Amino acid sequence: MMIRFVTLILTLLLFTGLAYSVLSMSHPAQGLARTVHLQIQNSGVSNPVTAVLMNFRAYDTLLEMSVLFISLVSVYSLSHSKRGAKSLLHSPVLKRLGGILVPILLLLAAYLLWVGAHAPGGAFQAGSVISATGILIFLSGWKFNLSVKHFFVRLLIAISLLVFFLISAGTLLLSHTLLEFSPTQASVFIFLLEAAATVSIGVTLFNLFVAVFSHSKDEN
Amino acid sequence: MNTLLLYPLTGIGLFCIGLYALILQPHLLRKLLAINIMGSGVFLLLVSLSLPGISVQQDPVPQAMVITGIVVAISATALALVFMIKIAAKTGKAELSNLEKE
């Protein structure tokens, strides 16, 4: 009881402190909105979030793709599962629905990737739609082999990092700056990066799900 | 008080609720959920501080960071789940010893 009480008091104190610091911030805060707004026409896209993600802070996104990659590698290095993952759900409704939904979802992912250049959307949203599509297919019990042992799947998982490294090396050699695109070529580079990131995020998240799913069934 | 400040305060509240549960809940799955709730609180705080009423104009940098953060949180959660399953398989239970009951 004592620990519970002390924790409650400390958490409340923390809440008060954090709330006070937010309330005492200068309003309206300046932020980086103005800086982004001034540079947006040099970024190659008109959606500010995509411009920040893929151009101004592309290094962040590179590191983030590495985090995704490393977490998938760690999950696989922990698993010793010999047999492939098999889904338990065998519902005819799910199967039929999957047949209708999968093409629509893939189209939606492509749309989200395309629309990211000038409106909310982009690689992360499209990638999560792709992984959700994969999970739907997996759970409805369709037979398909997307295990990480295939070279092609490994290539898809790593393609975003590969494209990132290639483009970083290219910009480093040509202009001696890491991931700094010239305004005329930026939109092409951003599209390449986004397309590769979409595929990688989709396949990686799906494989993470399958790995955890089959893992939990192996141990039980 | 500005109604816009409700969002950052909710974010801080979620963070604190998550922290409280993280400290007190012995089960590892609950700890993992608590960490995710803390993360959601941080994301809500960041996004709400970029709103036009609080910021001068819509600030895209925190939004981009939150998108990055969500994907990282998902992959970290998956890794933590695998760790939890391994611990459960080795020790027979997915719990840390509860100091309160001892």
Side-chain angles (χ1 to χ4, degrees):
Chain A
M1 213 58 223
M2 189 62 196
I3 297 174
R4 199 165 283 264
F5 185 69
V6 172
T7 316
L8 184 66
I9 297 292
L10 286 179
T11 319
L12 282 178
L13 275 176
L14 179 68
F15 177 80
T16 322
L18 287 175
Y20 175 75
S21 59
V22 165
L23 290 178
S24 63
M25 267 172 32
S26 65
H27 293 296
Q30 190 56 56
L32 287 167
R34 215 180 122 67
T35 322
V36 173
H37 190 71
L38 286 176
Q39 287 292 325
I40 188 97
Q41 66 269 30
N42 293 331
S43 72
V45 287
S46 59
N47 178 15
V49 178
T50 308
V52 170
L53 269 176
M54 291 294 167
N55 198 334
F56 304 147
R57 296 183 68 98
Y59 189 56
D60 257 15
T61 312
L62 165 65
L63 291 180
E64 188 227 341
M65 296 312 299
S66 324
V67 169
L68 259 184
F69 184 74
I70 291 167
S71 81
L72 185 64
V73 170
S74 324
V75 165
Y76 270 106
S77 66
L78 281 169
S79 69
H80 46 79
S81 170
K82 289 283 182 292
R83 59 191 173 87
K86 265 167 114 185
S87 158
L88 264 189
L89 310 167
H90 288 295
S91 149
V93 178
L94 203 56
K95 218 169 213 172
R96 189 87 188 87
L97 199 64
I100 301 168
L101 279 181
V102 166
I104 299 177
L105 283 174
L106 289 179
L107 196 65
L108 176 69
Y111 169 75
L112 279 173
L113 173 63
W114 168 77
V115 84
H118 52 85
F124 295 94
Q125 290 88 332
S128 41
V129 169
I130 286 184
S131 76
T133 312
I135 291 169
L136 180 70
I137 296 174
F138 174 71
L139 286 183
S140 37
W142 286 7
K143 292 276 179 292
F144 77 123
N145 215 336
L146 203 60
S147 115
V148 80
K149 293 187 178 67
H150 286 252
F151 173 76
F152 182 61
V153 177
R154 292 184 179 179
L155 184 69
L156 287 185
I157 288 167
I159 196 164
S160 170
L161 274 180
L162 289 176
V163 171
F164 251 113
F165 286 148
L166 278 179
I167 291 183
S168 323
T171 52
L172 205 55
L173 285 175
L174 290 177
S175 61
H176 304 286
T177 47
L178 188 71
L179 286 169
E180 194 176 300
F181 313 132
S182 73
T184 44
Q185 298 158 339
S187 58
V188 179
F189 283 138
I190 288 178
F191 181 75
L192 279 177
L193 287 178
E194 282 220 287
T198 302
V199 173
S200 280
I201 291 170
V203 179
T204 308
L205 289 184
F206 168 69
N207 270 299
L208 278 175
F209 176 84
V210 173
V212 175
F213 189 83
S214 52
H215 226 65
S216 61
K217 279 164 67 184
D218 268 12
E219 306 291 359
N220 291 333
Chain B
M1 195 180 91
N2 195 340
T3 46
L4 271 173
L5 286 175
L6 198 62
Y7 298 114
L9 289 182
T10 312
I12 294 170
L14 281 175
F15 180 83
C16 291
I17 291 170
L19 187 64
Y20 178 77
L22 176 66
I23 296 169
L24 286 181
Q25 295 290 344
H27 198 284
L28 290 175
L29 186 61
R30 293 193 176 205
K31 281 189 189 293
L32 192 54
L33 284 175
I35 293 173
N36 270 295
I37 289 172
M38 285 169 76
S40 305
V42 174
F43 296 151
L44 182 60
L45 177 68
L46 266 176
V47 165
S48 61
L49 287 181
S50 77
L51 285 176
I54 297 176
S55 209
V56 178
Q57 59 194 117
Q58 185 98 26
D59 192 347
V61 178
Q63 296 187 5
M65 289 174 137
V66 167
I67 284 192
T68 310
I70 287 171
V71 176
V72 170
I74 290 177
S75 53
T77 306
L79 186 57
L81 272 174
V82 173
F83 281 141
M84 193 197 79
I85 293 164
K86 284 281 169 197
I87 289 172
K90 287 272 183 227
T91 64
K93 56 175 186 170
E95 279 186 26
L96 298 184
S97 60
N98 194 346
L99 290 174
E100 234 178 297
K101 283 175 190 161
E102 280 169 9

